[in-house]
Amino acid sequence: MKIWVPSEAAADVLSDLPDVECVVYDGTGPVPGGVEEVEVWVPPLVTVPDVPGLLGRMPRLKLLQTVTAGVEPYRPHLPEGAVLCNARGVHDAGTAEWAVGAMIAVLREFPGFVRAQDRAEWTYHHTGVLADSTVLIVGYGSIGEALERRLDGFEVDVIRVARTARGNVHGQDELPELLPRADVVVLLVPATPATAGLVDADFLAAMKDGALLVNAARGGVVDTGALVAELEKGRITAALDVTDPEPLPRDHPLWTAPGVFVTPHVAGSTPASGRRTLRLLRSQLLRYLAGEPLKNMITGSY
């Protein structure tokens, strides 16, 4: 059985499995030979060029296992008979940790103090604070749960929102009533047709003055033009690990908009994520070889 994996580390963790041939393809350089024989493909973290064309050359593909929670580059082009699984859970810690760090960085004005340090200026003043805030988590899945665990102890109130209501989790249709209550709005929704442009001008207008928008989801969830307009007014602030477009062009107005903190899609790029990805890959391949049910199968809308 031929498996494409994204790294030597992934190949090493699968090297002792019986009748398995691992080929490393990290998306750079020429496509390896034997693409028509690939039965399992584990794409790299950064999407490879021409996904539709590549999948179209994989008639024997049975399992596509991503190393990301998002599957949007692959799902529309999956060959008939192939199963798609994501890496739900492996990036929870890193992404949740980034979200907490981003909130504190913006509210306590760390980027501004770093710039002042570069100028050797002592710019004493009061800042915002996370304590006593209401944090609205939009997209309350495994990462949302991990984020709430990390917020425990910061003395905040948490409002949970998912696509549909359940228990103590509100439905997405309740956002117009919930947004004005939030001091911090954290986006953790998957990229789907239903979430594309979810954060539009109306969404942003419903946020309270001085609120912070934190995007650890996907850039396309936010209408970039509408966000820039609100930032230029100085009415809200934002912390963005993802943008639309991405990478952000050097001349894009988001770079210089007031009150925005941008990181280059690094929330889940941590050693912890790497270790957990390798554990998932080995577990998943053992299940596949044994004919057992796979983890994280993508069915329905997501």
Side-chain angles (χ1 to χ4, degrees):
M1 178 178 66
K2 180 168 286 188
I3 302 176
W4 277 8
V5 294
S7 66
E8 291 292 348
D12 288 344
V13 83
L14 303 176
S15 62
D16 64 330
L17 300 184
D19 301 319
V20 167
E21 176 193 356
C22 285
V23 176
V24 175
Y25 177 51
D26 64 1
T28 63
V31 174
V35 61
E36 298 82 4
E37 303 170 5
V38 174
E39 186 172 334
V40 178
W41 182 28
V42 184
L45 192 63
V46 177
T47 306
V48 305
D50 190 20
V51 168
L54 197 54
L55 286 174
R57 297 168 58 192
M58 293 183 174
R60 297 182 60 180
L61 188 70
K62 299 300 180 186
L63 169 62
L64 196 160
Q65 170 66 59
T66 69
V67 297
T68 58
V71 296
E72 58 273 14
Y74 309 101
R75 187 173 184 180
H77 314 293
L78 198 68
E80 185 176 354
V83 172
L84 176 62
C85 299
N86 73 356
R88 183 181 191 270
V90 303
H91 302 292
D92 290 2
T95 303
E97 186 176 285
W98 177 89
V100 175
M103 292 180 211
I104 294 172
V106 174
L107 293 171
R108 301 309 305 265
E109 301 183 30
F110 287 172
F113 286 126
V114 169
R115 295 182 184 109
Q117 180 180 348
D118 289 341
R119 301 189 302 268
E121 294 180 6
W122 189 269
T123 57
Y124 173 83
H125 61 274
H126 282 216
T127 69
V129 68
L130 186 55
D132 303 330
S133 297
T134 295
V135 178
L136 173 61
I137 301 175
V138 183
Y140 192 78
S142 64
I143 299 177
E145 293 171 357
L147 173 58
E148 183 170 8
R149 289 195 299 273
R150 284 156 178 79
L151 287 172
D152 186 31
F154 278 94
E155 302 174 25
V156 300
D157 293 322
V158 175
I159 303 175
R160 310 158 195 86
V161 172
R163 184 176 53 187
T164 55
R166 61 178 189 273
N168 63 354
V169 180
H170 297 269
Q172 193 168 300
D173 60 326
E174 300 176 68
L175 278 173
E177 294 77 39
L178 297 173
L179 284 167
R181 297 167 49 186
D183 300 289
V184 181
V185 178
V186 185
L187 305 175
L188 296 173
V189 295
T192 68
T195 62
L198 170 68
V199 182
D200 57 11
D202 291 339
F203 183 109
L204 295 167
M207 291 174 60
K208 67 162 63 174
D209 289 353
L212 166 63
L213 179 73
V214 178
N215 191 1
R218 286 292 184 269
V221 171
V222 176
D223 180 330
T224 303
L227 176 59
V228 170
E230 288 292 340
L231 292 169
E232 292 289 353
K233 295 176 188 174
R235 200 182 67 79
I236 65 171
T237 55
L240 311 173
D241 188 50
V242 289
T243 59
D244 182 22
E246 187 176 306
L248 202 60
R250 292 179 64 88
D251 60 350
H252 198 282
L254 262 180
W255 285 120
T256 55
V260 64
F261 174 50
V262 179
T263 59
H265 205 151
V266 298
S269 299
T270 71
S273 295
R275 291 189 294 268
R276 296 170 193 202
T277 296
L278 294 179
R279 287 199 294 267
L280 172 65
L281 293 183
R282 182 170 178 83
S283 170
Q284 196 77 305
L285 262 295
L286 287 172
R287 287 170 176 268
Y288 179 80
L289 291 170
E292 297 175 354
L294 299 175
K295 299 176 182 178
N296 304 338
M297 287 181 60
I298 302 298
T299 59
S301 60
Y302 216 82

